[in-house]
Amino acid sequence: MFKIFRKNHTTANVELEDNNQMSALKLAAKKTAEEFNVDEQNIQSSIFASAAQGNTIIADRAVFMFATSAKKSRVHTMMLTFKNPVAWGNDKTPVDYLIVGMFPDNSDQNTVASVTDKITKTLNEKSAQLDDIKFNDSELNKLNQSFTD
């Protein structure tokens, strides 16, 4: 019953001024900090550290990274979709979905892996629908919420 009141944590159809990975990472940190009311600099450091560990590319079009915060007691996700795909990583995968997992500070690697697996499974199941979901706020919100239900 209370899910109706959940904040959606999604932003669709983002057009980056500089359409590159660094701009996307900075925007992800800014939006994550705003969405979850946490310090932007800490989130940026955490997201950059996550990106440095390697890119988790899902369904050949989405990138997942994570951040941690002492202010969070449960896992949340925030999602951006890009109007124009961003060339991501060394292989320049065209990414149009960016998902940030916001984890409590005390989260272990198994928790991160579990959420990563759920996001991967969900995006792979919906791969044929991702073009339509990308710009549909309602469907994008449902997709994002499904990652932590």
Side-chain angles (χ1 to χ4, degrees):
M1 176 170 140
F2 291 104
K3 286 185 183 178
I4 331 176
F5 301 108
R6 282 177 57 180
K7 192 164 182 184
N8 293 320
H9 308 303
T10 58
T11 305
N13 205 23
V14 173
E15 194 164 1
L16 295 169
E17 190 172 316
D18 295 320
N19 197 45
N20 60 45
Q21 186 174 338
M22 185 60 69
S23 293
L25 286 168
K26 287 179 181 177
L27 178 63
K30 181 179 193 284
K31 295 295 287 179
T32 302
E34 289 171 1
E35 290 288 327
F36 299 116
N37 194 29
V38 293
D39 180 71
E40 184 177 340
Q41 189 58 47
N42 288 343
I43 295 305
Q44 183 170 327
S45 296
S46 197
I47 286 175
F48 279 46
S50 175
Q53 290 178 15
N55 297 304
T56 301
I57 303 290
I58 303 167
D60 295 323
R61 67 182 302 167
V63 64
F64 174 70
M65 59 197 59
F66 64 92
T68 60
S69 174
K71 286 185 159 188
K72 294 292 142 200
S73 59
R74 64 182 285 277
V75 178
H76 299 273
T77 55
M78 188 276 309
M79 185 178 347
L80 303 170
T81 64
F82 300 110
K83 182 175 183 175
N84 301 306
V86 176
W88 207 272
N90 292 335
D91 60 354
K92 305 291 185 207
T93 301
V95 165
D96 57 354
Y97 279 77
L98 187 149
I99 305 157
V100 177
M102 174 58 74
F103 292 82
D105 267 347
N106 62 348
S107 297
D108 61 16
Q109 191 56 41
N110 289 335
T111 303
V112 174
S114 176
V115 172
T116 304
D117 289 346
K118 185 166 188 180
I119 291 169
T120 301
K121 181 180 179 206
T122 303
L123 289 180
N124 284 328
E125 287 172 355
K126 296 191 177 282
S127 65
Q129 301 163 314
L130 291 177
D131 283 338
D132 295 331
I133 293 171
K134 181 175 155 176
F135 303 120
N136 182 321
D137 288 332
S138 175
E139 291 302 313
L140 194 61
N141 292 334
K142 287 179 195 173
L143 178 63
N144 189 55
Q145 288 176 359
S146 74
F147 299 149
T148 55
D149 281 347

